[in-house]
Amino acid sequence: MRRFTTVLAGAALAGLALTTAPVANATTGVPDAGSAPITATAAQGVPLTVDRPVVHPGEQLRIHVEHGQEALSWVSSGAFVRDSDHPMGADEGVAHLVRASDGSADLIATIADVAPGQYQVHGRAGGGPVPGVVITVE
């Protein structure tokens, strides 16, 4: 017979396994209704900001990331022009680095001819995700 502590530990692990993160819409990359809101600051304290939240196809978006001592890997979005391969193979465009110094980076991305809607701008720094922000393409 199993000990009570073993059963209790198993129940706790089962509960953790059933806990899920917000699921993003495959088209827009924006979490579906009922999900936690996307914040402009990553869990590791890496802020990602954009110069404006509403853009149009063909316009350029300026992005700023404070990544500290962590290396910035990439910033991408389904709204960006796909003029190079995504480092992780995602079907998204990647922003181009303009300037990097003292733990911060400035990037620029061109908005693709995509359907109007909301798109997530996110990235990776220091082996962890940068949750990013949501932009609206009109």
Side-chain angles (χ1 to χ4, degrees):
M1 180 163 224
R2 293 188 179 160
R3 293 177 49 195
F4 178 73
T5 54
T6 303
V7 173
L8 186 60
L13 287 175
L16 287 174
L18 295 175
T19 304
T20 60
V23 177
N25 180 296
T27 304
T28 64
V30 177
D32 291 327
S35 299
I38 297 174
T39 62
T41 304
Q44 298 173 335
V46 181
L48 182 150
T49 58
V50 296
D51 66 342
R52 62 192 182 283
V54 179
V55 293
H56 298 89
E59 291 183 343
Q60 290 190 327
L61 182 69
R62 297 183 191 287
I63 304 153
H64 182 79
V65 180
E66 290 288 336
H67 56 86
Q69 298 300 315
E70 303 294 339
L72 179 64
S73 299
W74 47 262
V75 173
S76 68
S77 174
F80 296 169
V81 168
R82 292 163 181 84
D83 59 359
S84 61
D85 290 334
H86 192 286
M88 299 301 290
D91 186 24
E92 295 185 337
V94 180
H96 298 281
L97 184 66
V98 175
R99 182 199 64 82
S101 88
D102 297 327
S104 69
D106 292 314
L107 303 99
I108 195 161
T110 302
I111 304 302
D113 188 15
V114 295
Q118 293 186 322
Y119 295 85
Q120 184 180 16
V121 177
H122 60 100
R124 190 161 187 84
V130 178
V133 296
V134 174
I135 60 170
T136 301
V137 176
E138 292 186 334

